[in-house]
Amino acid sequence: RVNPATPDFKYCILHEFMHHQLDWLGCPCLTCPQVLRSADGSVSLGGVRLPAGHYMQEINCKTDPNFFPNIVVKLWELIQHSRFNLHLRRDFACGPQQARDSQMLDLLTGRAQFPYCNLTTDPPSVRLVVMAFHFATALLESSDAVQQRMRTAILRAPLGEAIIDLGTTIRSHINDMPASVCAMDEEEAEAVMGAMLMDLEQVLQTLLLGAVQVSVGDVQSMEGGTLVLGRSKAVAVISISPAP
């Protein structure tokens, strides 16, 4: 059932169908490394200690234990969108701009709160990374006019240029590739999944500011090859190791 407030019914329905089609083709779910704070106050990601001053040190693991997994989920969704949005625009004359513009304008005008970040209480290091993520989202899926409004608003805020630079870098790692996911053989599907995982690895490396080495493993089929919770029948593991 589609929310009656949805700006673009056609895109909403087709984009959900595209996600499910990718799942049937073997798009993996992800296993995400844990963020843990030790008794001495240091923070580790996937068992690797993060350096002092890293923004993840500022995340309260008790009040927001899912900060990192939530960011990974949204990134993975955006990367999937990058594979079928051009296809939907070309063959169905619809895209994410209406829905994403509505969301971004609500954020800019204060009608909604920015996800994953409290702009008044979170330290600058956290705001830098989270706002860069939101700006990258706008670059991927908002109209040119809304992208410019967001750019102008960010540049008025502290760390504005750094946010723009990081967001632009994140966006540059997500490749727009028009994949006809409804007419794809197994070999083509494997190539698409592999390329998406490479994008994810690069974006996570950027988001973690080079403090650790990120590796995203190959797609592995789950036992039996059946969909899990109606979605993925494959998995890929995100691993963390010390920075070289």
Side-chain angles (χ1 to χ4, degrees):
R1 187 176 179 180
V2 180
N3 185 337
T6 297
D8 188 336
F9 275 60
K10 185 195 289 188
Y11 178 77
C12 179
I13 293 168
L14 288 171
H15 125 276
E16 287 298 332
F17 174 74
M18 292 293 107
H19 277 303
H20 285 285
Q21 185 67 13
L22 282 173
D23 291 335
W24 277 107
L25 289 167
C27 184
C29 60
L30 304 168
T31 66
C32 198
Q34 278 189 303
V35 180
L36 297 174
R37 187 179 296 276
S38 64
D40 64 3
S42 63
V43 172
S44 63
L45 176 63
V48 177
R49 186 167 176 163
L50 295 171
H54 193 273
Y55 72 92
M56 293 287 281
Q57 300 272 5
E58 306 286 352
I59 305 297
N60 190 320
C61 299
K62 291 183 178 178
T63 60
D64 194 6
N66 294 319
F67 172 83
F68 186 68
N70 283 340
I71 291 288
V72 170
V73 167
K74 295 307 295 182
L75 281 173
W76 192 225
E77 183 178 14
L78 287 170
I79 290 169
Q80 291 179 49
H81 289 184
S82 73
R83 267 50 184 187
F84 58 67
N85 275 343
L86 293 177
H87 164 56
L88 292 181
R89 186 178 303 122
R90 181 190 63 208
D91 293 349
F92 295 94
C94 65
Q97 287 77 16
Q98 273 190 284
R100 194 62 76 185
D101 280 1
S102 177
Q103 178 195 41
M104 291 300 169
L105 290 173
D106 282 348
L107 295 174
L108 290 172
T109 57
R111 291 192 296 266
Q113 297 296 315
F114 279 91
Y116 322 121
C117 182
N118 186 316
L119 296 182
T120 58
T121 61
D122 281 341
S125 58
V126 175
R127 282 189 275 119
L128 166 64
V129 173
V130 175
M131 291 304 296
F133 167 76
H134 288 304
F135 182 61
T137 302
L139 291 178
L140 280 160
E141 298 195 340
S142 288
S143 66
D144 291 344
V146 169
Q147 288 178 32
Q148 187 56 47
R149 282 190 62 175
M150 194 165 190
R151 181 187 298 272
T152 301
I154 289 172
L155 286 173
R156 293 196 189 109
L159 300 174
E161 290 189 7
I163 291 170
I164 296 296
D165 288 346
L166 182 58
T168 302
T169 300
I170 292 169
R171 192 270 174 263
S172 72
H173 292 318
I174 300 177
N175 293 290
D176 298 307
M177 298 176 64
S180 298
V181 300
C182 296
M184 191 179 293
D185 61 30
E186 185 175 338
E187 185 175 341
E188 290 172 320
E190 287 181 2
V192 167
M193 305 312 161
M196 289 198 300
L197 291 172
M198 289 178 63
D199 283 3
L200 179 66
E201 184 174 284
Q202 287 188 302
V203 174
L204 291 178
Q205 193 69 53
T206 298
L207 271 177
L208 291 168
L209 308 179
V212 294
Q213 185 69 37
V214 180
S215 176
V216 181
D218 295 335
V219 177
Q220 304 173 47
S221 296
M222 293 187 186
E223 187 175 353
T226 56
L227 294 182
V228 177
L229 299 178
R231 296 301 299 255
S232 183
K233 54 184 178 181
V235 64
V237 178
I238 301 171
S239 301
I240 303 295
S241 57

